[in-house]
Amino acid sequence: AQSVSQHNHHVILSEAASLELGCNYSYGGTVNLFWYVQYPGQHLQLLLKYFSGDPLVKGIKGFEAEFIKSKFSFNLRKPSVQWSDTAEYFCAVNPEPGGSYIPTFGRGTSLIVHP
Amino acid sequence: DGGITQSPKYLFRKEGQNVTLSCEQNLNHDAMYWYRQDPGQGLRLIYYSQIVNDFQKGDIAEGYSVSREKKESFPLTVTSAQKNPTAFYLCASRNRESNTEAFFGQGTRLTVV
């Protein structure tokens, strides 16, 4: 079964600082990768996703992530964070279609951005 | 508007009682999922269903039960056998054929008193 590891559980930054959240997965086959965000009191929403093609994907609100197949990684980045980015971030993986789709999530990273 | 509706948003239960959490979607999705979210543990899969009348246990199914009698509905029952039921429960659905991402409901916060 696949697993997802998020390295940073808690991150505290000041506004305008750069952000990188690590995500590694363990699965031998082709995968689809996702980053979800959960703002305080709100439901999970998709930030960005990778299915195929350009390994550098851009999402909403200036976020981007790079899929590095050789490292089994899908790190999330943002050049300059804002106070409104305070949220919990989840990396998720699922095998490519053909098998059972069971989205597997990492433990999440809590990001606090100080104004 | 299409989406996933979970109800109620907050739920209180006495120890020893079963309680059922509702999850309804009007997205015409085949697959539906129940996750439990606890601080520092992320989302853990309780049950999932790929089609109507079929469901499978996830990683932490003990003390829970589900049914999938209709495509739109995937209720979760938290039984008295669940030792630590206080948590935030998230329902999700997905279109299997197009392999899109999963869409989530707003969640139900269950507190056992």
Side-chain angles (χ1 to χ4, degrees), chain B residues 27-44:
Chain B
L27 300 167
N28 199 35
H29 287 170
D30 291 309
M32 296 187 74
Y33 311 84
W34 273 105
Y35 289 90
R36 171 179 169 142
Q37 185 179 7
D38 296 284
Q41 298 195 55
L43 276 67
R44 294 181 290 169

Side-chain angles (χ1 to χ4, degrees), chain A residues 32-84:
Chain A
N32 297 328
L33 297 155
F34 309 86
W35 275 98
Y36 283 83
V37 61
Q38 187 178 34
Y39 297 106
Q42 297 189 27
H43 64 284
L44 263 76
Q45 50 189 290
L46 186 70
L47 204 53
L48 47 78
K49 61 187 176 185
Y50 173 80
F51 279 8
S52 64
D54 188 346
L56 183 63
V57 292
K58 296 192 183 299
I60 59 172
K61 303 187 181 185
F63 285 91
E64 64 179 30
E66 184 175 13
F67 171 49
I68 303 179
K69 190 175 181 179
S70 61
K71 295 185 178 180
F72 298 89
S73 71
F74 190 55
N75 292 355
L76 181 71
R77 299 193 293 248
K78 185 170 183 178
S80 176
V81 294
Q82 301 173 315
W83 173 77
S84 58

Side-chain angles (χ1 to χ4, degrees), chain B residues 100-113:
Chain B
T100 55
E101 67 274 16
F103 292 82
F104 284 83
Q106 296 266 10
T108 293
R109 185 163 298 280
L110 173 65
T111 303
V112 174
V113 297

Side-chain angles (χ1 to χ4, degrees), chain B residues 8-108:
Chain B
K9 192 171 181 180
Y10 299 97
L11 190 55
F12 295 87
R13 187 196 89 177
K14 291 183 179 178
E15 275 193 36
Q17 290 181 338
N18 293 354
V19 64
T20 297
L21 282 58
S22 170
C23 178
E24 304 276 332
Q25 53 98 0
N26 59 5
L27 300 167
N28 199 35
H29 287 170
D30 291 309
M32 296 187 74
Y33 311 84
W34 273 105
Y35 289 90
R36 171 179 169 142
Q37 185 179 7
D38 296 284
Q41 298 195 55
L43 276 67
R44 294 181 290 169
L45 184 66
I46 305 173
Y47 268 98
Y48 66 99
S49 169
Q50 304 280 22
I51 56 173
V52 175
N53 293 322
D54 183 64
F55 50 82
Q56 305 294 329
K57 291 182 179 180
D59 300 319
I60 56 166
E62 186 176 349
Y64 299 99
S65 65
V66 293
S67 62
R68 188 83 188 277
E69 297 175 2
K70 299 187 297 182
K71 190 176 186 179
E72 311 80 49
S73 179
F74 191 41
L76 173 74
T77 297
V78 184
T79 75
S80 56
Q82 168 49 234
K83 291 186 172 61
N84 185 22
T86 295
F88 190 53
Y89 292 88
L90 287 165
C91 179
S93 71
R94 176 185 163 268
N95 184 332
R96 287 177 64 210
E97 289 184 1
S98 63
N99 193 32
T100 55
E101 67 274 16
F103 292 82
F104 284 83
Q106 296 266 10
T108 293

